[in-house]
Amino acid sequence: MIDPLLAASRLASAGLEAQSLRIRVVSENLANAQSTGDAPGADPYARKTVTFKAELDRAVGAASVRVRDIDTDRTPFRVEYDPSNPAADQSGNVKLPNVNALIEMADMREANRSYEANLQVIKQARAMVASVIDLLRT
């Protein structure tokens, strides 16, 4: 049987890893929100999404979170008329990424809060372990 404090730390650590990757993907999406294709009419950066899955951690005996996949969003690209842009096609239209900064910021906030919650679990588990050690010393 595994120690419940160790189990909590392991599960929270998996959550930290998953949310950290999610934050990196959202950051990449935001960084490329205005990028265009390399050639006239070429597709621009496509928004990436992170999918999670619950996975049984046999050592802990509980469901843990893992990243299932990093995929590209298949929503259509935005198209704007800008004939002066080097990426414009023959009719002057430019394809822009399917990244919505408002959605990305909301996703970033949610991932950040989840990350902080998992971090608090680890801090609390460490504090409890330290308290148990102090009790055993006396």
Side-chain angles (χ1 to χ4, degrees):
M1 185 168 113
I2 192 164
D3 176 25
L5 296 176
L6 178 61
S9 293
R10 284 183 64 158
L11 295 174
S13 177
L16 283 174
E17 188 176 327
Q19 295 304 329
S20 177
L21 178 66
R22 183 177 174 197
I23 290 169
R24 284 194 302 262
V25 169
V26 169
S27 298
E28 181 180 332
N29 288 342
L30 286 170
N32 289 294
Q34 297 299 317
S35 62
T36 58
D38 295 336
D43 285 345
Y45 173 83
R47 177 180 183 258
K48 293 182 181 176
T49 59
V50 178
T51 308
F52 298 114
K53 68 178 176 177
E55 186 174 273
L56 180 65
D57 187 336
R58 294 187 192 280
V60 177
S64 181
V65 67
R66 298 280 183 245
V67 173
R68 177 187 304 158
D69 193 20
I70 298 175
D71 201 8
T72 54
D73 188 352
R74 290 178 173 66
T75 57
F77 297 115
R78 295 177 305 162
V79 178
E80 288 184 9
Y81 180 75
D82 184 5
S84 64
N85 191 311
D89 61 12
Q90 294 170 344
S91 55
N93 292 320
V94 178
K95 290 182 187 177
L96 296 172
N98 54 354
V99 176
N100 182 330
L102 188 60
I103 291 172
E104 297 302 322
M105 292 305 293
D107 203 24
M108 176 75 79
R109 175 177 242 166
E110 182 182 335
N112 190 36
R113 286 185 178 175
S114 295
Y115 186 92
E116 289 174 0
N118 283 303
L119 192 57
Q120 281 299 333
V121 168
I122 291 173
K123 287 180 181 179
Q124 290 298 321
R126 285 183 181 174
M128 287 184 204
V129 168
S131 295
V132 168
I133 291 171
D134 287 345
L135 285 171
L136 293 173
R137 284 186 192 159
T138 58

